[in-house]
């Protein structure tokens, strides 16, 4: 009997996560120098990291022999979100906190609800606990909250919602999310993943942290990987009732966020001009890419994030042709969208290069 057969059957049944192709990997495969490669595949910030965060990382290297202390970042996040520190749980990326929530509430014999074309980490976090995943059909490529409400069973413990969603970019207006929360049984946790929250126009943003007092079953997650430009440091957080946060902390590795990430995140949170600049760049890049897709006659899904998903006659062939030109975007066949590619909005010259490469590929 092989060791593989000894593994938990629900672990063996998981399809692995397919990350965006690393630049170094394409460089090896195609013999292209890595500095000539354009990666628009993982929704990373084209401006890099905030200069303040960079300084903080450099200063924090001095204390790297010490185990990390999360106090400063928890305090900063609590102050920013209007909650108290024991409602903040830090993660090694927000991916980590999604996993913690799953481990607190899911197990074999329980279920979680998620939407077709929603973020791939929800199936992973769910299935790795042995719980059942209930998938509801998408509405215009986004979450159908009525279908999700109807799919909740007596054994359901978590509903996963990404707003905006990745990879489709769909945005659910917040009054609809609030109306949904009103109808969900109080024993079901609703995870509202707001990884792209800072890319929303101010008029569409809502202080969802303030909803936790009305809905103790609400957990809001956010990340420093996207607009804050710290994807490689791995830091994100969850906002929850003190009771849920306490449970999450019991299954959390005590030192899950490293010293450099903590220092960078504290500084990044305060660098308002970097965040504003990143937002503005994204708005301009969105207009540039939408105009480009229109010119090329390509359909795309309206996006509220820092990426756009667009449709092709043969996405796999076009993807290969882009790779040959050193341009990495994201195939999303694994999300049930085999005819589509997702491109991250880059700087103006990056978007221009992408559109030129795409036109050539077509
Ligand atoms: C990128 C992303 C995250 C954040 O991932 P990290 O682990 O924080 O890097 C979370 N949710 C969605 C929907 C995302 O697209």
């Amino acid at each position: 009997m092989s060791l593989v057969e000894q593994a938990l059957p629900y672990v063996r049944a998981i399809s692995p996560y397919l990350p965006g192709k690393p630049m170094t990997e394409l460089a090896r495969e195609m013999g292209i120098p890595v500095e000539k490669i354009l990666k628009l595949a993982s929704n990373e910030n084209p401006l890099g990291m905030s200069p303040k965060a960079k300084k903080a990382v450099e200063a924090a290297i001095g204390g790297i022999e010490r185990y990390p202390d999360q106090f400063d970042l928890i305090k900063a996040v609590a102050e920013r979100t209007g909650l108290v520190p024991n409602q903040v749980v830090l993660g090694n990326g927000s991916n980590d906190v999604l996993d913690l929530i799953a481990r607190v509430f899911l197990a074999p014999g329980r279920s979680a609800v998620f939407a077709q074309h929603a973020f791939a980490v929800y199936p992973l976090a769910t299935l790795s606990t042995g719980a059942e995943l209930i998938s509801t059909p998408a509405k215009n490529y986004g979450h159908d909250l009525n279908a999700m409400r109807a799919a909740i069973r007596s054994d359901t413990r978590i509903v996963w919602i990404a707003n905006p969603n990745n990879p489709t970019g769909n945005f659910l207006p917040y009054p609809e999310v609030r109306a949904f929360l009103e109808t969900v049984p109080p024993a079901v946790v609703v995870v509202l993943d707001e990884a792209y929250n800072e890319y929303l126009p101010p008029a569409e943003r809502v202080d969802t942290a303030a909803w936790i007092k009305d809905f103790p079953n609400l957990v809001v997650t956010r990340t420093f990987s996207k607009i804050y430009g710290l994807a490689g440091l791995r830091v994100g957080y969850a906002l929850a009732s003190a009771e849920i946060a306490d449970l999450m902390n019991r299954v959390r590795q005590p030192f899950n966020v490293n010293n450099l990430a903590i220092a960078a995140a504290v500084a990044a949170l305060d660098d308002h001009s970097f965040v504003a600049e990143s937002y503005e760049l994204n708005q301009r890049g969105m207009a540039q890419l939408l105009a480009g897709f229109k010119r090329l006659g390509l359909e795309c899904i309206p996006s509220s994030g820092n990426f756009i998903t667009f449709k092709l006659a043969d996405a796999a062939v076009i993807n290969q042709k882009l790779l040959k030109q050193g341009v990495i975007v994201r195939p999303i066949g694994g999300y049930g969208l085999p005819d589509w590619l997702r491109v991250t909005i880059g700087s103006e010259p990056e978007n221009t290069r992408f559109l030129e490469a795409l036109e050539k590929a077509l």
Side-chain angles (χ1 to χ4, degrees):
M1 170 148 308
S2 81
L3 276 176
V4 171
E5 285 163 32
Q6 302 305 314
L8 293 162
Y10 54 81
V11 172
R12 293 171 62 192
I14 292 173
S15 329
Y17 181 79
L18 292 173
K21 190 186 260 305
M23 295 160 75
T24 42
E25 186 180 305
L26 185 66
R28 288 192 298 271
E29 284 175 6
M30 298 276 176
I32 306 173
V34 74
E35 58 285 356
K36 293 252 165 70
I37 288 174
L38 172 60
K39 184 184 175 204
L40 297 174
S42 300
N43 302 345
E44 295 147 347
N45 189 329
L47 292 177
M49 76 197 290
S50 128
K52 286 185 181 165
K54 191 165 185 202
K55 261 202 182 141
V57 167
E58 284 160 4
I61 288 176
I64 211 79
E65 72 283 7
R66 304 289 175 197
Y67 280 103
D69 178 1
Q70 299 193 339
F71 182 86
D72 287 347
L73 182 54
I74 289 178
K75 181 163 165 278
V77 170
E79 277 169 10
R80 176 61 56 85
T81 55
L83 300 179
V84 292
N86 65 2
Q87 293 185 274
V88 178
V89 179
L90 300 186
N92 193 255
S94 59
N95 205 317
D96 187 23
V97 294
L98 298 174
D99 242 358
L100 298 178
I101 301 161
R103 284 168 59 201
V104 169
F105 291 101
L106 299 178
R110 299 180 177 207
S111 66
V113 172
F114 101 121
Q116 182 189 18
H117 313 317
F119 189 43
V121 165
Y122 313 143
L124 286 177
T126 301
L127 297 173
S128 66
T129 66
E132 189 185 331
L133 185 66
I134 302 170
S135 172
T136 59
K139 188 167 107 186
N140 300 325
Y141 303 103
H143 297 63
D144 180 344
L145 292 180
N146 289 331
M148 295 182 85
R149 172 65 190 85
I152 293 172
R153 309 190 306 219
S154 59
D155 67 1
T156 299
R157 294 293 180 276
I158 294 180
V159 177
W160 304 105
I161 297 175
N163 203 33
N165 184 41
N166 170 20
T168 61
N170 296 76
F171 174 67
L172 292 163
Y174 276 106
E176 289 177 30
V177 178
R178 184 150 180 127
F180 174 76
L181 285 165
E182 303 276 3
T183 72
V184 169
V188 175
V189 171
V190 176
V191 178
L192 192 55
D193 177 349
E194 299 186 328
Y196 301 96
N197 177 262
E198 299 84 357
Y199 286 108
L200 293 175
E204 283 178 1
R205 258 176 251 167
V206 156
D207 180 10
T208 47
W211 291 3
I212 293 170
K213 64 176 186 331
D214 305 325
F215 303 101
N217 57 332
L218 172 65
V219 180
V220 176
T221 67
R222 298 200 188 130
T223 183
F224 288 95
S225 297
K226 304 288 158 60
I227 209 163
Y228 292 104
L230 301 177
L233 274 173
R234 312 301 306 127
V235 53
Y237 58 89
L239 307 171
S241 69
E243 290 75 15
I244 290 182
D246 173 47
L247 292 164
M248 290 171 67
N249 277 322
R250 294 185 205 192
V251 291
R252 183 178 60 77
Q253 283 185 47
F255 305 110
N256 62 334
V257 184
N258 71 71
N259 301 4
L260 305 186
I262 291 169
V266 169
L269 210 49
D270 252 351
D271 196 341
H272 300 282
S273 68
F274 178 81
V275 172
E277 197 188 336
S278 302
Y279 173 83
E280 294 298 333
L281 183 72
N282 192 62
Q283 292 288 106
R284 292 196 301 274
M286 176 78 79
Q288 184 188 359
L289 286 181
L290 289 178
F293 288 130
K294 195 169 172 200
R295 189 168 53 77
L296 296 172
L298 297 175
E299 179 188 351
C300 47
I301 303 173
S303 171
S304 296
N306 65 340
F307 56 89
I308 306 177
T309 289
F310 58 101
K311 196 173 187 187
L312 295 153
D314 195 336
V317 168
I318 299 296
N319 185 47
Q320 275 310 315
K321 289 184 176 175
L322 288 172
L323 289 173
K324 285 216 176 90
Q325 299 177 75
V327 176
I328 311 176
V329 298
R330 191 66 159 267
I332 48 175
Y335 284 90
L337 295 166
D339 302 330
W340 301 74
L341 294 174
R342 189 195 71 195
V343 63
T344 300
I345 297 171
S347 64
E348 198 211 308
E350 288 174 341
N351 297 332
T352 301
R353 179 174 163 197
F354 159 72
L355 288 170
E356 283 170 4
L358 180 61
E359 186 163 9
K360 216 168 143 193
L362 290 165

